[in-house]
Amino acid sequence: MFLFRRTGARVTVDEARSRTSGDQPEVVLLDVREKPEWTVGHAPGAVHVPLTRLLAGGALPAEAQGRPLMVICRSGHRSQQAAELLAERGAQAVDVEGGMNAWAAAGYPVVGERGNSGKIA
């Protein structure tokens, strides 16, 4: 899929939602915000690894390894940086434009750490 062959690629929240949702999503939604932001609210089914951990050389969580990634943060800045870093490491990664702010604005669900209704911090 051409979407994952170029660096700096971005996708909309609509595309991210459609490709990372369902019983067997084709793509992993990777949230790179810090733990306190994640705890307050994130997209259901997203996988968490803070950008700071990636920058320090940390590995992707097992459920994200070897899979295409759509990377998300609060507004799109950190996720763009993370997607570029991951692409340099050989991962298929693109950035979700507008981040969780755009996700929530589109009316998509946000859950807290315990699966309850969350918010974007």
Side-chain angles (χ1 to χ4, degrees):
M1 99 195 332
F2 79 92
L3 185 64
F4 292 103
R5 291 192 188 141
R6 54 181 202 244
T7 59
R10 302 188 94 183
V11 296
T12 66
V13 293
D14 295 330
E15 184 169 1
R17 168 85 169 146
S18 71
R19 297 184 65 199
T20 62
S21 299
D23 292 337
Q24 296 182 327
E26 63 180 284
V27 179
V28 172
L29 185 63
L30 185 71
D31 192 319
V32 296
R33 295 174 301 145
E34 295 301 314
K35 179 72 172 171
E37 296 171 285
W38 166 266
T39 301
V40 172
H42 55 272
V47 174
H48 181 239
V49 62
L51 175 60
T52 52
R53 186 177 309 156
L54 291 174
L55 290 171
L60 288 170
E63 60 267 40
Q65 291 181 7
R67 299 203 42 214
L69 306 169
M70 290 189 169
V71 187
I72 197 164
C73 66
R74 184 178 60 229
S75 64
H77 178 73
R78 288 175 285 179
S79 57
Q80 197 168 24
Q81 184 180 0
E84 289 174 9
L85 173 70
L86 291 165
E88 288 171 6
R89 293 182 184 174
Q92 296 178 336
V94 295
D95 164 53
V96 179
E97 190 172 7
M100 287 301 297
N101 286 335
W103 181 279
Y108 297 137
V110 176
V111 295
E113 185 176 44
R114 295 187 176 104
N116 54 329
S117 182
K119 63 180 182 177
I120 307 307

